[in-house]
Amino acid sequence: MSHPNTADQALVREINLSLVLRYVHNEAPVSRAQIAATTGLNKSTVSSLVDELLERRLIHEIGINAGGTGRPATLLEINPQAGGIIGIELGVDFVAVALTDFAGKIVWRKDTSADPSQTQDRVIAETLQLAGQAIAASRDRDLNILGLGVATPGTVDLKEGILIFAPNLHWRNVPLKKIYTENTGLKVFVENDANAAALGEHLFGAARRCTDFIFVFAGVGIGSGLFLNGQLYRGKNGYAGEIGHSPIIAGPTQAPCHCGNRGCWETYANQYSIIQRAQARLEVKRNSIIPRLMAEQGASLSIAIIKQAADEGDIEALESFAEAGTAMGQGFAALVNMFNPEKIFMGGPLSFAGKYMLPSIQQAILRHALPETSHQVEILLSSFGPDASLIGATSIVVHDILQNPTHAERR
Ligand SMILES: [Zn+2]
């Protein structure tokens, strides 16, 4: 019998380290004995792996479990102080930057509205300035930075970290990874906003133990992150999930989409469509409080104002959300028929009004998807609501460390 060579042994150890770290992440608090029983690794191997993860400060001991019938055991969990992570969300009309700890808790954040007419360089400069503030905030909290994640709308070349095309931003071929690496010196990951949100929901939210779910990111655009068989499904070139541009309810007279086409699903259910629906209703009805709210705030018609009116029971506002929810639900029904997911999450900017859309989304699914799947699927708002992609951006970095614990480098 030949002995495994050193490279094989190192690889096996790295795989086992990842296995133990992921188990602690998912199931904490856990004891060494529980890790051994669940992973099938022997107790001395688990003990050695746990020692290494403790030494790397990726996990920590949180006391003794004296309850139960067995011997008291020391419990382990992810060490929130393992390091800080910076997340950047490039929205269509805003940018957000956050600093989280290793357990996914936001410890610092700043948002700013981005004028869509601003140039690409100015928007990126703004995020770099906020990232600088996040790095300073990490020093105040004794968190060395483990990496920086960027979530962007559009299609992304993952390996090179290039934004290929974001129709709603009108950006093409932007080397985001290169730009952020050169300016911060950090390890940088770039991911599509809906994919990032799906990963965030899986690592830190309500999809923690779910192997088949879809994350629908809804704002100015609509995109989806497909989490299938326990991992993100990216397709051949990483562009899978761009469902907002599918002609699910295409009509040749529907408003043009930013992608250059007409009749894309997102034009029926996105933020603009809700504003248009409310606008059309205001032109024929007189009994809405929306005009008063606009006058009081000196503001034009916006999702925020329609939501405020809905909060006060305004029927025109409620109907505008419900109609868009029906269109949203027709797209969800296509996803349900195609993928038979356990759950679909709705997150992103529009989810702050999600409660007014969920009932009509659910009705449309029951009406349009096959009964075997439509009765089982759960439709939920994201655990992180409008922050789904921001948390998602940081979760890309955490995911990389969970897969490769020895990669974790603090700066
Ligand atoms: Zn389109």
Side-chain angles (χ1 to χ4, degrees):
M1 191 180 122
S2 66
H3 289 282
N5 68 36
T6 323
D8 285 342
Q9 284 171 349
L11 181 63
V12 168
R13 184 156 180 99
E14 176 87 30
I15 290 168
N16 287 338
L17 263 185
S18 165
L19 183 65
V20 171
L21 184 59
R22 282 182 284 131
Y23 183 73
V24 174
H25 177 89
N26 282 336
E27 307 294 336
V30 294
S31 67
R32 289 168 178 78
Q34 279 173 284
I35 297 171
T38 312
T39 60
L41 296 167
N42 74 46
K43 282 185 184 168
S44 66
T45 304
V46 167
S47 186
S48 156
L49 293 165
V50 164
D51 284 348
E52 182 172 345
L53 292 172
L54 285 168
E55 204 171 298
R56 290 180 180 274
R57 295 197 294 119
L58 293 172
I59 62 174
H60 67 172
E61 295 183 331
I62 51 163
I64 309 280
N65 174 20
T69 51
R71 280 193 304 164
T74 306
L75 295 174
L76 303 156
E77 70 168 18
I78 290 291
N79 178 11
Q81 287 292 117
I85 294 146
I86 295 176
I88 296 178
E89 180 182 5
L90 295 170
V92 174
D93 49 10
F94 66 95
V95 294
V97 177
L99 170 71
T100 66
D101 64 21
F102 191 54
K105 186 177 150 219
I106 293 180
V107 293
W108 179 97
R109 71 169 291 161
K110 267 197 188 161
D111 304 54
T112 166
S113 61
D115 180 345
S117 67
Q118 274 179 344
T119 66
Q120 190 177 305
D121 290 349
R122 277 197 54 191
V123 172
I124 291 174
E126 179 96 46
T127 61
L128 283 168
Q129 208 245 332
L130 292 176
Q133 292 180 30
I135 291 168
S138 74
R139 294 205 188 99
D140 296 343
R141 288 163 180 80
D142 235 358
L143 284 169
N144 292 310
I145 304 284
L146 290 160
L148 183 153
V150 183
T152 171
T155 50
V156 174
D157 175 335
L158 283 185
K159 195 161 158 282
E160 303 297 329
I162 297 171
L163 168 59
I164 303 291
F165 179 40
N168 291 317
L169 289 173
H170 307 289
W171 290 10
R172 277 183 196 273
N173 298 316
V174 190
L176 293 172
K177 182 174 175 175
K178 185 165 174 280
I179 293 169
Y180 287 105
T181 305
E182 284 176 1
N183 283 280
T184 64
L186 297 170
K187 190 171 182 182
V188 174
F189 298 83
V190 181
E191 179 60 280
N192 164 269
D193 51 11
N195 282 351
L199 200 55
E201 201 70 45
H202 181 63
L203 289 184
F204 299 117
R208 202 170 260 248
R209 290 182 188 84
C210 188
T211 55
D212 294 271
F213 71 92
I214 294 169
F215 194 101
V216 174
F217 180 90
V220 173
I222 297 178
S224 73
L226 308 170
F227 200 92
L228 308 170
N229 287 330
Q231 53 189 331
L232 267 182
Y233 176 79
R234 293 194 165 91
K236 182 169 182 291
N237 300 104
Y239 309 154
E242 285 293 339
I243 188 164
H245 300 288
S246 297
I248 289 174
I249 33 181
T253 57
Q254 177 64 5
C257 180
H258 284 115
C259 74
N261 219 325
R262 270 177 200 274
C264 293
W265 175 41
E266 71 179 38
T267 59
Y268 291 87
N270 65 5
Q271 282 177 207
Y272 293 148
S273 83
I274 296 168
I275 294 171
Q276 283 162 358
R277 287 173 204 279
Q279 184 77 55
R281 287 175 165 275
L282 293 181
E283 278 163 20
V284 290
K285 306 268 179 171
R286 294 279 177 268
N287 56 353
S288 171
I289 63 166
I290 291 174
R292 173 171 64 77
L293 293 175
M294 287 164 66
E296 280 170 7
Q297 297 169 31
S300 53
L301 188 58
S302 66
I303 290 288
I305 283 187
I306 303 169
K307 158 81 164 40
Q308 200 186 340
D311 289 342
E312 294 182 34
D314 185 84
I315 195 79
E316 305 309 325
L318 289 167
E319 288 288 324
S320 300
F321 282 123
E323 278 178 13
T326 298
M328 186 77 89
Q330 288 170 348
F332 278 38
L335 290 169
V336 169
N337 281 340
M338 207 175 297
F339 297 108
N340 182 204
E342 183 185 333
K343 299 174 184 190
I344 300 182
F345 293 91
M346 176 181 164
L350 202 44
S351 64
F352 96 116
K355 67 175 175 180
Y356 297 122
M357 299 175 74
L358 272 191
S360 53
I361 289 174
Q362 273 153 342
Q363 274 173 19
I365 292 171
L366 288 174
R367 174 142 187 258
H368 296 284
L370 294 176
E372 290 75 11
T373 47
S374 66
H375 286 99
Q376 287 167 14
V377 67
E378 249 186 288
I379 311 300
L380 302 161
L381 292 177
S382 165
S383 312
F384 307 109
D387 284 341
S389 288
L390 187 57
I391 291 289
T394 66
S395 76
I396 317 163
V397 180
V398 175
H399 181 255
D400 179 66
I401 294 170
L402 293 178
Q403 298 299 320
N404 315 282
T406 60
H407 285 195
E409 252 182 72
R410 301 176 178 88
R411 294 190 196 174

